[in-house]
Amino acid sequence: MSSAGSELATIVSALVGAVIAMRRSKRAQRTIAWLDALALRKPIINAPVAVLGGLLGALTYDKFGFSLEMFAYGLMIAMCIEQSIIDYTTHRLPRGVTFRAAIIGGPLLALAAINHDDNGRIGVMFASFIVTLVLFALLSAFSKGGIGGGDVRLAPVLAMFLGWLGVSHVYIGLGSGFILGGIAAAGMLITRRASASTRIAFGPFLCIGAVIAVFVQ
């Protein structure tokens, strides 16, 4: 593709990313209103979400080109935007949003692996999903509510996406989520915005860590 064509494709990807992000934001707000009408006291401003979506859309195209991977990771990022908004506001992660990403994204990445004649990626995806599911189920059991059921469902799906890129991406994504979540929790404790018993939404940090891991290498 020529330089001009590549630039045009990047711009289109950014615009599509912005539109999808806005749609996900609006859908998140409808979900929040359904889950907890009191949680959404002020409407979420969609413009910053659109800018973020546009940036991530351009980065996704830049990394993967026009490919099955681009659609799969675009789906993962869209899911992360929607779930982060919902979890931050309500401390809930609707299973339908997570499962749709897994049901569509998994086959897309499997087809991409077959297309690249690299079927080993499918095994890494599956192993990443299973290991992360077991790990988070154990963390949930021993954390006394610190890790919720929504986190137990979300983390393995994110690990599945990251596993296609490689095991190191799983480590980076989940590790970044824990580090960012820990920093945020410590900051809230220091500023007395939270106590040791306050529940903090962990889903957004898992999502941020996963998105970082997609683009870090």
Side-chain angles (χ1 to χ4, degrees), residues 102-126:
I103 291 169
I104 299 172
L108 280 175
L109 289 176
L111 288 173
I114 294 170
N115 186 52
H116 289 293
D117 196 23
D118 191 359
N119 295 345
R121 290 178 185 264
I122 300 174
V124 177
M125 283 170 53
F126 181 75

Side-chain angles (χ1 to χ4, degrees), residues 68-114:
L68 291 170
E69 300 96 290
M70 182 194 75
F71 288 104
Y73 289 101
L75 174 65
M76 186 203 85
I77 291 168
M79 181 266 290
C80 284
I81 290 173
E82 183 175 355
Q83 289 287 51
S84 294
I85 293 171
I86 296 171
D87 194 25
Y88 177 78
T89 308
T90 68
H91 287 199
R92 296 186 185 182
L93 290 162
R95 66 187 68 193
V97 179
T98 301
F99 288 166
R100 280 194 297 272
I103 291 169
I104 299 172
L108 280 175
L109 289 176
L111 288 173
I114 294 170

Side-chain angles (χ1 to χ4, degrees), residues 21-101:
M22 286 188 66
R23 288 176 62 87
R24 288 288 185 139
S25 176
K26 291 177 181 178
R27 189 163 75 178
Q29 292 177 66
R30 291 195 297 269
T31 302
I32 292 167
W34 179 73
L35 290 172
D36 186 354
L38 296 178
L40 196 62
R41 291 185 173 87
K42 294 182 179 179
I44 294 169
I45 301 174
N46 290 318
V49 179
V51 172
L52 176 63
L55 174 62
L56 293 174
L59 289 173
T60 303
Y61 173 77
D62 184 64
K63 183 175 180 68
F64 298 108
F66 190 76
S67 63
L68 291 170
E69 300 96 290
M70 182 194 75
F71 288 104
Y73 289 101
L75 174 65
M76 186 203 85
I77 291 168
M79 181 266 290
C80 284
I81 290 173
E82 183 175 355
Q83 289 287 51
S84 294
I85 293 171
I86 296 171
D87 194 25
Y88 177 78
T89 308
T90 68
H91 287 199
R92 296 186 185 182
L93 290 162
R95 66 187 68 193
V97 179
T98 301
F99 288 166
R100 280 194 297 272

Side-chain angles (χ1 to χ4, degrees), residues 196-211:
S197 61
T198 301
R199 290 189 61 190
I200 298 173
F202 187 40
F205 300 107
L206 285 174
C207 288
I208 293 170
V211 173

